[in-house]
Amino acid sequence: MIRLLIAVLAVTRLWGQAPIEALNVKAFGAIGDGTADDTAAIAATLAAARVAKKSVLIPAGTYLTDTITGISQAGMTISGEGAESTILKSRKGTNVIETTGASLHSITIKDLRIDGSRGASNHGIYFHDNRFPSFEISLSNLTFINVGGRAIYLPSAFSLALDNVQAS
């Protein structure tokens, strides 16, 4: 509970912009050392962000994770500290970020490297929704590597903004 309170009160300054309120995954136990499993800490941060209607900050580091789900709150922003310094890496070669919901919209993911760990058919980001198309999705300053499927898979999306997105 104390971690949640501290994280909710955290104010983070990103890239010289005015301060924004964000929950830091490290406040929820993420290590980001490239060896620890950070799945539960990232999931807990996303859950708290949905309740508090806050953004999520993933500081510099390499975060090993199973598929990240739970990015469904309208207006949610997931930010790293740059594609060269904040890496989300699949532990098992599964989709790195996958989410579904009744209406996925107004979601921003930025400043990350997404590493699929050479999964045979995994996607870097996979948004799908069975009832409505995703809209107002903003993806910026992202680098995708070692993804066996698509870097970005949004089968039913409109109003999608891509800025400085690279895949290799």
Side-chain angles (χ1 to χ4, degrees):
M1 187 65 170
I2 291 173
R3 279 188 184 171
L4 176 60
L5 179 59
I6 290 169
V8 169
L9 297 174
V11 176
T12 306
R13 184 175 296 275
L14 296 173
W15 298 103
Q17 299 174 357
I20 61 169
E21 293 183 42
L23 302 185
N24 187 318
V25 297
K26 290 202 171 192
F28 289 82
I31 305 299
D33 65 357
T35 58
D37 179 357
D38 292 310
T39 306
I42 293 171
T45 309
L46 289 168
R50 283 192 307 275
V51 171
K53 297 188 180 349
K54 303 288 184 190
S55 297
V56 172
L57 172 66
I58 305 173
T62 299
Y63 298 84
L64 289 181
T65 183
D66 295 336
T67 300
I68 297 169
T69 60
I71 302 172
S72 59
Q73 180 73 39
M76 183 176 275
T77 296
I78 312 300
S79 300
E81 292 186 328
E84 294 302 316
S85 57
T86 303
I87 303 162
L88 294 178
K89 185 172 182 175
S90 174
R91 287 185 335 115
K92 301 177 182 176
T94 57
N95 295 334
V96 181
I97 297 173
E98 179 177 353
T99 193
T100 187
S103 181
L104 297 174
H105 64 91
S106 306
I107 294 172
T108 299
I109 301 173
K110 62 183 183 175
D111 303 322
L112 298 167
R113 177 180 298 174
I114 297 175
D115 184 340
S117 296
R118 292 182 166 60
S121 61
N122 65 333
H123 305 301
I125 295 176
Y126 181 25
F127 277 10
H128 54 96
D129 187 290
N130 296 328
R131 292 176 266 178
F132 303 100
S134 302
F135 64 96
E136 293 181 15
I137 306 297
S138 175
L139 305 174
S140 62
N141 301 318
L142 299 175
T143 300
F144 295 87
I145 61 171
N146 302 320
V147 177
R150 295 175 175 100
I152 302 166
Y153 187 31
L154 301 164
S156 61
F158 64 93
S159 185
L160 170 66
L162 299 174
D163 180 34
N164 191 29
V165 175
Q166 303 171 22
S168 61

